[in-house]
Amino acid sequence: MNVKSWASLLLLGLLLSVLVACNGESENTEEKAEESSASSEEDGKVLNFTSPVAIPSMDPSIATDEASFIYLAATTEGLYRLDENAQTVPGIAKEHTVSEDGLTWTFTLREDAVWENGDPVTAHDFVYSWRRAVNPETGSEYGPYMMNGVIKNATAVSAGEAPVEDLGVRAEGDYTFVVELENPTPYFESLTTFGTFFPLNQKFVEEQGEKFATSSDTLLSNGPYTIENWKSTSSSWDIVKNEDYWDADAVKMDKLTFEVVKDPQTAVSLYTSGAVDRVDLTADLVDKYKSHDDYAVSADTFVYFIKFNQKANEALANTNIRAAISRAFDKQALVDEILNNGSIVANGLVPADFTPMPESGKDFREVSGDLVTYDLEAAKEYWKKGLEEIGKESLELELLTGDDETTKTMVEYIANQLTTNLPGLTVNLKQVPKEQRLDLDTSMDYEMQVSRWGPDFLDPFTFMNLWTTKSGNNAMGYSNPKYDKLVKETATKLAQDNVARYQNFLKAEKILFEDAAIAPIYQSSRAQLVSPKIEGVHVNPFGATYEYKWADVNSK
């Protein structure tokens, strides 16, 4: 089946489902619009949004995904946060100094910041939280990922080889927080804006025990908003202005509401009826609404890829099998005809327009080039060789994915391409809610998986460190000592030589795709309908996707 025929069938199916959704939900949509209008008048300034997924976790030590970090950033504040230009501005820290050798950072904290229960936010809250994130008993993925090789002794602590008290953090009084680094880290200040580095009130966390961060009642905010009407199973929630926030005068919104809506047409119906103020558009809806006054496309730095679990199936431990799959689906047709939202093909790991080379200023992606492209002839050659090496004539593999509509359409296309282009291959789709997919990833209970990564800070290391042997985010059994060495050197002996660091990144990325460790798919963009009344909602190039602190509404 050719691409256009396949795309047409998919779009026809989507249109049929849209008709059913519209017929079944029109009255409900009108009711929600009326409720939204009434709520806005009663509650002051209110914006209403949809979310394609529920919140997997509000525990900063446990959170690993985009949705969780968005709401953590709205309700909790770290040392710094990002402004509209993605530059760090004061949060709980008023200022900091750095020692001449770049290893000791001393943060002076403001004395007017309090937790939701009235407790002051102190340096002890940061010490407790950062120790908790690398404590192996916590089971955090991001704690070791973000801190190992950066914070002094983090690697030993996370491996259980040193007590948590050895982590290079300490409080000098209540309002001076000192951090010792393993090596000079040029991007460390931006790291402090990320959710894993947010403070925690030790007494509150320990009082809640296993219930901590499972509901609004078991969370404690120190940020611009509090989260209300939320449980770990909730399909809707609110974030409400925190009157006790140190910078409450800067927070203009009284409330932001969120509701999980997985069907894109239902979301658009809510938007056009005035019930919600921003929605993402899928491919079929882009064509319909791209001439709409509220249509907007924003470039993103998320890269989507297929992970191959080399421990789950002997076939996936074969480099030629992985190389074949990586080249056997038409990515250009996928972004043009299936996604149709401004996304671009990914032929490497580090995204385009993310970070420049330190000397020339050229984009890293341009310099590194296309490392794995759609190439049907090469794919079939790799496939034939791989099958011979594992002694099989056919192969059945499972592909784990999320269950939102955009992902469903995309993976059906990919599965069709793979089974059509690689003789003897059967691909079975396993589509589950995001939280379940993340759990299956952590436990390595999958064969192939469509995943994605958005940067946590402005440096290629945020992508390259994913696939080092001991990375908590690897979860696919990939290991290459040469790759590990190159990436490690960028954070150790080359830490203060940015030119050499970037050369290592280029070499490491090449090795990653020579090994066919992952199969890149695309770099995303967001096609949306956005109400013109929204002001001050910033889209960050790394960390939490949306910054809501300065959100406001105008009179348009």
Side-chain angles (χ1 to χ4, degrees), residues 71-82 89-93 110 113 115 121 125-126 192-195 197-200 220-225 245-247 547 549-550:
Y71 302 106
L72 281 169
T75 59
T76 319
E77 184 153 88
L79 296 168
Y80 293 99
R81 67 171 54 239
L82 298 176
V89 293
I92 303 302
R110 63 181 65 258
W115 291 100
V121 181
D125 298 324
F126 286 94
T192 67
T193 70
F194 195 76
F197 294 89
F198 289 171
L200 286 169
L220 208 56
S221 170
N222 77 328
Y225 301 91
Y245 177 52
W246 70 269
D247 197 21
E547 173 57 74
K549 173 178 175 176
W550 295 282

Side-chain angles (χ1 to χ4, degrees), residues 35 38 41 63 80 124 142 144 225 242 255 264 267 434 446 530 532 541:
E35 290 173 5
E41 293 175 5
Y80 293 99
H124 307 286
Y142 259 64
Y225 301 91
N242 179 8
K255 182 168 73 172
K434 184 173 184 177
Y446 72 94
V530 182

Side-chain angles (χ1 to χ4, degrees), residues 371-389:
L371 300 180
V372 54
T373 61
Y374 171 58
D375 187 335
L376 192 51
E377 183 178 342
K380 289 182 176 179
E381 291 178 2
Y382 281 120
W383 184 247
K384 182 180 178 181
K385 186 181 294 186
L387 289 179
E388 289 174 353
E389 289 173 347

